[in-house]
């Protein structure tokens, strides 16, 4: 087996493909991470404070969230990409291990992101759509060399994250599903969409009432998850799997309120887009001919840097740069302008023969590049335009007074030696292709063994021994397996993916909500769970997981329930300006049904059932007292 994997890895390393998809993957994964950090910062008092706004967490947590956000911007834009990836990984591990973020507010997302962040350290995602590429171009400008950074990667850079972050997760999840009756009945996708705590604001009753379609989707998910890891790399399966996966995860985002996980998984499908599609999209988006010709002083270091920067961000190829010294005479529009005058400014010529000078040339560059057109329109505003014109004139005049001799540049020989020195250092640490193939193969085998340990332990043995009985050999191996799971869980994000299983829904026949009375004595719903029983925005993602998976469960644990009731009333009470020195909240409950067989209009039945008051939360002088009465659920 090892030799087979080794040979496949070696072949994959030798096959070079465009890095475009990998760059897009990095950008969107960075945006998923950034939105989660913004979410954490918004809910920082709820998640990290013992009692929100009352018994507060250390301010250093908020400071590190801001640092994490800045680092994620670096990662997204590809600035010092590898270093930013390493820092991002450590932030995920530290926040997950040392804060309540995972213990009470996770739902599996943090482990998925730990694994993704770990892989991101080793993937050459900086080779497309990155500021690192721009840094390399500017660096080699000093040596008068035209240097294009490497824009290809080995095909393994696409296959490995797909195999590890999607394939192994899907397979583990499918094994768990076989033990759940509602999944075996084809209702694994249908049941969560009838549960008020999980649904989005989109009314999908018409869709849920199609029994055959719901069962088809349920069985499709199981089959898809089982076959993905064995077929995703095959050309004939790639597009069908990609379309199916995108459809399923888009459905999760639209129909459920666990959108971060949906977006995180969806991002990986950028790696499945056929390489020819990226090239075709590139040709489609780029202009067939330049929309603007820009003339620049070839002997001016500042002008050359400006050219490289604009070319880097000109993704639609709207701008063509021409050197004044060599090309100006070929354009009749410039013949009446002396060379001395040409060298004082930047000139731009559009397709209609209109000539623009100075700040107007830059304005046209922004407009022709399309996506920064708003900046160009902003510059046109009176006042802004004149201020910008003065700044341009000052920089241009100072630039014009610079003279460039040999001291302006580093010799080509020195720069080439630097490049070869870097290449030798890289090859020394990266090793030969055979050494790299060995390392990657060992890593893959280790990941597979760790994932199999999790799948076999929790997906098979745990499910088969749900009654608590365990053999003697199991009693010996179980602690060892748990120890391995602890390490792989904490540092690689390997975890059981038993989402929406029978042991979660069985007996989940009630939900809770919170209301309060305003100054006029009218009962109002806390902006958390509404009258339908849905968790309203922005209480989705990890806040939904906290309430629906930890606080309120089929078998409510009073300690945990009281803890999170205090948290929610304190947090939202402060947010809507209630006086926690003297405020009373009402605890409501209603019955719901979670059957293992299909039932028409179940979603509407569950959201329209009546609420009953079962208790209250009394805040007085910053302290909360919770009173809940016993109630017979069967009578609801």
């Amino acid at each position: 087996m090892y030799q087979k994997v080794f040979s496949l890895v070696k072949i994959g390393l030798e096959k070079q493909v465009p890095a475009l998809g990998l760059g897009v993957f990095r950008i969107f994964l960075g945006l998923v991470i950034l939105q989660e950090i913004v979410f954490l910062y918004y809910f920082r008092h709820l998640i990290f404070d013992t009692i929100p706004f009352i018994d507060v967490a250390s301010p250093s947590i908020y400071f590190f969230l801001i640092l994490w956000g800045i680092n994620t911007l670096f990662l997204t834009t590809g600035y010092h990409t590898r270093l930013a990836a390493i820092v991002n990984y450590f932030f995920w591990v530290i926040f997950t291990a040392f804060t309540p973020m995972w213990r009470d507010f996770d739902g599996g997302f943090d482990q998925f992101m730990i694994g993704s962040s770990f892989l991101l350290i080793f993937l050459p995602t900086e080779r497309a759509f990155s500021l690192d590429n721009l840094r390399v171009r500017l660096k080699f400008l000093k040596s008068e060399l035209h240097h294009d950074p490497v824009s290809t990667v080995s095909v393994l850079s696409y296959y490995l994250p797909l195999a590890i972050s999607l394939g192994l997760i899907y397979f583990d999840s499918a094994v768990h599903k076989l033990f759940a009756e509602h999944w075996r009945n084809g209702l694994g996708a249908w049941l969560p969409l009838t549960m008020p705590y999980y649904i989005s604001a989109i009314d999908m009753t018409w869709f849920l009432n199609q029994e055959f379609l719901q069962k088809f989707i349920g069985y499709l998910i199981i089959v898809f998850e089982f076959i993905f890891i064995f077929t995703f790399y095959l050309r004939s399966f790639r597009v069908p799997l990609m379309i199916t996966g995108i459809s399923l995860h888009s459905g999760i985002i639209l129909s459920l309120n666990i959108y971060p996980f949906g977006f995180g998984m969806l991002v990986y499908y950028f790696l499945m887009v056929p390489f020819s599609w990226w090239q075709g999209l590139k040709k489609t988006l780029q202009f067939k001919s330049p929309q603007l010709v820009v003339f620049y002083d070839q002997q001016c270091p500042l002008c050359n840097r400006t050219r490289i920067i604009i070319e880097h961000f000109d993704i639609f190829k709207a701008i063509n740069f021409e050197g004044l010294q060599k090309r100006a005479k070929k354009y009749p529009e410039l013949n009446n302008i002396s060379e001395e005058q040409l060298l004082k400014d930047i000139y731009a010529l559009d397709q209609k023969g209109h000539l623009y000078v100075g700040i107007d040339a830059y304005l046209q560059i922004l407009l022709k590049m399309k996506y920064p057109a708003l900046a160009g329109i902003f510059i046109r505003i009176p006042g802004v335009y004149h201020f910008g014109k003065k700044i341009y004139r000052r920089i241009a005049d100072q630039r014009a007074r610079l003279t460039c001799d040999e001291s302006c540049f580093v010799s080509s020989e020195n720069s080439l030696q630097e490049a070869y020195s870097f290449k030798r250092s890289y090859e020394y640490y990266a090793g030969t292709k055979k050494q790299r193939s060995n390392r990657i193969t060992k890593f893959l085998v280790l990941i597979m063994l760790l994932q199999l340990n999790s799948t076999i332990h929790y997906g098979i043995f745990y499910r088969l021994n749900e009654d608590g009985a365990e053999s003697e050999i199991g009693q010996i191996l179980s602690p060892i397996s748990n120890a391995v799971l602890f390490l792989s869980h904490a540092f690689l994000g390997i975890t059981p993916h038993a989402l929406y299983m029978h042991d979660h829904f069985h007996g989940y026949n009630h939900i809770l909500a919170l209301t309060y009375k305003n100054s006029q004595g009218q009962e109002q719903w806390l902006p958390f769970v509404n009258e339908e029983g849905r968790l309203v925005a922005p209480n989705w993602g990890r806040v939904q997981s906290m309430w629906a998976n930890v606080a309120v469960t089929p078998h409510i644990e009073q300690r945990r329930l009281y803890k999170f009731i205090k948290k929610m009333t304190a947090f939202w009470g402060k947010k809507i300006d209630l006086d926690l020195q003297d405020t009373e909240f009402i605890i409501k409950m209603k019955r719901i049904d979670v059957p293992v067989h299909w039932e028409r209009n179940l979603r509407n039945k569950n959201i329209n059932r009546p609420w009953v008051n079962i208790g209250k939360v009394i805040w007085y002088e910053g302290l909360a007292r919770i009173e809940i009465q016993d109630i017979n659920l069967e009578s609801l």
Side-chain angles (χ1 to χ4, degrees):
M1 176 184 173
Y2 181 88
Q3 288 302 321
K4 179 65 174 177
V5 176
F6 175 79
S7 61
L8 291 174
V9 167
K10 191 175 180 181
I11 294 171
L13 276 177
E14 292 173 352
K15 184 178 180 180
Q16 295 293 304
V17 295
L20 290 175
L22 207 59
V24 175
F25 166 74
R26 186 204 69 244
I27 291 171
F28 280 91
L29 186 61
L31 291 176
V32 170
I33 297 170
L34 186 61
Q35 70 80 29
E36 191 63 21
I37 295 170
V38 172
F39 184 94
L40 287 170
Y41 192 81
Y42 180 83
F43 283 104
R44 61 192 183 278
H45 290 289
L46 174 64
I47 295 172
F48 302 111
D49 292 359
T50 303
I51 300 178
F53 303 106
I54 298 174
D55 188 357
V56 298
S58 169
S60 62
I61 290 179
Y62 316 144
F63 173 71
F64 284 119
L65 280 175
I66 295 172
L67 289 183
W68 191 4
I70 294 171
N71 180 77
T72 303
L73 288 175
F74 289 165
L75 179 63
T76 306
T77 57
Y79 183 69
H80 291 288
T81 311
R82 299 298 182 98
L83 177 60
I86 293 171
V87 173
N88 172 67
Y89 169 73
F90 279 107
F91 269 124
W92 275 111
V93 171
I94 291 170
F95 266 85
T96 301
F98 297 104
T99 75
M101 191 177 85
W102 168 74
R103 186 176 63 253
D104 296 330
F105 294 86
D106 173 36
F109 182 70
D110 290 326
Q111 276 60 52
F112 174 73
M113 294 311 298
I114 286 174
S116 299
S117 299
F118 181 79
L119 288 175
L120 208 56
I121 296 172
F122 304 98
L123 295 175
T125 59
E126 72 281 357
R127 294 189 183 178
F129 303 118
S130 71
L131 293 178
D132 283 341
N133 275 350
L134 177 59
R135 290 172 57 238
V136 171
R137 289 190 176 100
L138 291 172
K139 178 179 180 181
F140 279 88
L141 168 68
K142 296 178 183 178
S143 61
E144 300 181 83
L145 296 173
H146 181 73
H147 179 76
D148 287 323
V150 178
S151 59
T152 60
V153 297
S154 76
V155 75
L156 284 181
S157 299
Y158 288 82
Y159 287 168
L160 289 182
L162 286 171
I164 295 171
S165 293
L166 290 191
L168 292 177
I169 287 177
Y170 284 154
F171 188 82
D172 179 78
S173 179
V175 170
H176 284 276
K177 288 178 173 59
L178 294 181
F179 290 88
E181 185 177 359
H182 66 287
W183 276 104
R184 293 197 301 270
N185 292 338
L187 301 177
W190 170 82
L191 186 58
L193 295 179
T194 66
M195 167 64 156
Y197 273 174
Y198 294 92
I199 60 179
S200 69
I202 302 174
D203 187 351
M204 306 190 76
T205 302
W206 61 272
F207 178 64
L208 299 174
N209 282 341
Q210 312 302 318
E211 181 180 3
F212 176 80
L213 180 59
Q214 291 302 313
K215 290 185 176 181
F216 171 78
I217 293 173
Y219 291 128
L220 174 65
I221 292 172
I222 296 176
V223 173
F224 172 79
E225 290 186 337
F226 264 123
I227 70 171
F228 184 91
I229 194 168
F230 304 108
T231 56
F232 77 91
Y233 55 90
L234 300 175
R235 187 183 298 272
S236 57
F237 279 84
R238 186 181 305 163
V239 174
L241 286 176
M242 181 184 71
I243 294 173
T244 303
I246 290 174
S247 301
L248 293 175
H249 288 294
S250 298
I252 289 174
I253 293 169
L254 292 174
S255 60
L256 299 173
N257 51 26
I258 54 170
Y259 67 91
F261 197 85
F263 277 119
M265 299 289 279
L266 199 59
V267 163
Y268 276 84
Y269 284 90
F270 284 115
L271 301 178
M272 290 194 71
V273 176
F275 304 120
S276 59
W277 290 20
W278 290 117
Q279 297 295 341
L281 181 63
K282 184 178 178 180
K283 290 180 181 178
T284 302
L285 294 177
Q286 290 180 351
F287 290 103
K288 301 298 183 288
S289 59
Q291 304 298 293
L292 197 69
V293 179
V294 177
F295 303 91
Y296 71 102
D297 181 359
Q298 293 170 270
Q299 299 300 317
C300 166
L302 176 61
C303 302
N304 276 281
R305 285 195 294 271
T306 302
R307 170 182 63 83
I308 289 175
I309 291 170
I310 292 174
E311 285 179 340
H312 180 80
F313 290 104
D314 182 21
I315 59 177
F316 301 122
K317 301 303 177 187
I319 314 299
N320 180 39
F321 280 87
E322 298 279 17
L324 279 169
Q325 289 86 341
K326 293 182 179 179
R327 304 285 295 179
K329 294 179 180 179
K330 297 185 178 182
Y331 291 86
E333 293 85 354
L334 301 179
N335 288 343
N336 296 327
I337 305 174
S338 66
E339 183 176 345
E340 182 181 357
Q341 185 63 32
L342 284 173
L343 294 176
K344 287 183 178 180
D345 282 295
I346 187 171
Y347 289 79
L349 183 68
D350 67 14
Q351 291 181 317
K352 295 181 179 179
H354 298 144
L355 190 64
Y356 304 91
V357 185
I359 189 69
D360 293 303
Y362 281 109
L363 192 150
Q364 287 300 314
I365 289 172
L366 293 171
L367 294 175
K368 299 299 183 184
M369 286 172 64
K370 299 303 181 183
Y371 69 91
L374 285 177
I377 295 171
F378 177 74
I379 292 173
R380 281 179 166 175
I381 298 174
V384 176
Y385 175 83
H386 293 88
F387 181 70
K389 195 171 184 179
K390 286 183 179 180
I391 293 176
Y392 166 80
R393 188 75 269 153
R394 181 179 299 177
I395 294 173
D397 288 344
Q398 290 177 352
R399 190 274 315 166
R401 289 193 292 271
L402 292 174
T403 57
C404 192
D405 54 24
E406 294 181 358
S407 64
C408 292
F409 301 100
V410 180
S411 71
S412 300
E413 183 179 354
N414 291 340
S415 198
L416 285 172
Q417 287 179 355
E418 182 182 358
Y420 287 128
S421 175
F422 174 79
K423 184 178 180 181
R424 284 195 298 269
S425 298
Y426 172 78
E427 290 177 347
Y428 174 78
Y429 288 106
T432 63
K433 285 185 178 179
K434 183 177 181 180
Q435 289 173 324
R436 277 180 281 166
S437 298
N438 262 316
R439 291 169 185 169
I440 293 172
T441 303
K442 290 175 182 177
F443 172 73
L444 271 175
V445 171
L446 174 63
I447 292 296
M448 286 190 288
L449 291 175
L450 292 174
Q451 182 62 65
L452 280 174
N453 175 56
S454 176
T455 301
I456 294 172
H457 185 127
Y458 283 107
I460 298 178
F461 290 158
Y462 174 79
R463 297 295 175 189
L464 292 174
N465 295 307
E466 287 186 337
D467 58 355
E470 192 171 32
S471 64
E472 292 183 6
I473 187 68
Q475 293 174 5
I476 297 173
L477 294 179
S478 183
I480 299 174
S481 176
N482 279 325
V484 173
L485 278 170
F486 173 79
L487 293 174
S488 61
H489 179 87
F491 297 105
L492 295 175
I494 294 175
T495 191
H497 295 275
L499 301 177
Y500 301 142
M501 296 293 290
H502 59 290
D503 46 8
H504 175 71
F505 284 114
H506 181 68
Y508 208 149
N509 54 10
H510 56 277
I511 57 176
L512 303 180
L514 297 162
T515 63
Y516 67 97
K517 290 187 177 180
N518 61 19
S519 56
Q520 289 77 37
Q522 299 171 325
E523 187 176 3
Q524 302 285 325
W525 291 85
L526 207 63
F528 173 48
V529 176
N530 68 4
E531 56 271 26
E532 292 181 345
R534 291 189 299 104
L535 279 87
V536 297
N539 302 282
W540 294 347
R542 62 179 70 244
V543 174
Q544 182 270 352
S545 179
M546 171 274 295
W547 188 253
N549 300 337
V550 181
V552 182
T553 62
H555 306 286
I556 290 179
E557 183 181 323
Q558 186 184 82
R559 178 186 59 83
R560 288 189 300 180
L561 176 63
Y562 282 19
K563 170 185 173 180
F564 291 114
I565 286 178
K566 289 179 181 179
K567 272 181 167 283
M568 295 310 304
T569 52
F571 179 80
W572 281 114
K574 178 70 174 181
K575 284 286 187 179
I576 60 178
D577 296 325
L578 296 179
D579 183 10
L580 293 184
Q581 298 300 311
D582 188 12
T583 302
E584 184 175 302
F585 297 87
I586 301 169
I587 303 172
K588 291 178 170 290
M589 175 184 283
K590 76 170 175 177
R591 182 180 175 82
I592 59 170
D593 290 330
V594 282
V596 296
H597 299 285
W598 186 80
E599 184 178 325
R600 187 176 180 83
N601 286 329
L602 182 60
R603 179 188 186 276
N604 287 342
K605 291 177 183 177
N606 280 337
I607 66 176
N608 290 321
R609 280 211 167 97
W611 294 90
V612 295
N613 297 343
I614 64 164
K616 54 187 177 181
V617 186
I618 303 168
W619 279 94
Y620 183 72
E621 294 184 353
L623 297 175
R625 188 176 80 254
I626 299 176
E627 300 174 357
I628 296 181
Q629 65 190 61
D630 292 329
I631 189 165
N632 182 11
L633 291 173
E634 299 299 329
S635 66
L636 296 181

